[in-house]
Amino acid sequence: MVDVSQHELVPEHTLVDEDEVESMLTEYEVKRAELPKIKRKDPALPDDAEVGDVVKIVRDSRTTDKAVSYRLVIE
């Protein structure tokens, strides 16, 4: 079986620890529930991601070199 998360077109997905989550939420003045969502069954997620975790997604960008976004893992 092919591991989709290792494909060259799939951006890097990493779990964010709680300290960094709180810092990011404060910096952007948002609540956890206001973050964009990603389903737990998404094949790009790390295997140890659980509902309620926050995932950091780093994509290549033509204008800023790297574009960072955050997603809340849902069921």
Side-chain angles (χ1 to χ4, degrees):
M1 181 167 248
V2 176
D3 184 4
V4 177
S5 67
Q6 300 305 313
H7 192 278
E8 66 184 46
L9 296 178
V10 176
E12 176 186 351
H13 289 63
T14 55
L15 290 176
V16 181
D17 62 32
E18 284 304 313
D19 292 336
E20 188 177 346
V21 170
E22 293 305 320
S23 172
M24 178 269 304
L25 293 175
T26 303
E27 178 181 350
Y28 293 115
E29 298 178 358
V30 296
K31 296 178 181 158
R32 187 181 294 251
E34 296 173 329
L35 292 173
K37 313 297 189 276
I38 187 169
K39 292 203 175 213
R40 171 60 197 102
K41 294 180 181 179
D42 191 303
L45 281 178
D47 291 333
D48 53 345
E50 296 180 3
V51 174
D53 287 346
V54 175
V55 176
K56 179 179 181 180
I57 303 171
V58 180
R59 293 182 173 89
D60 290 332
S61 172
R62 291 182 185 179
T63 56
T64 63
D65 189 37
K66 297 288 181 188
V68 178
S69 62
Y70 296 91
R71 301 279 187 268
L72 176 66
V73 178
I74 61 170
E75 184 117 10

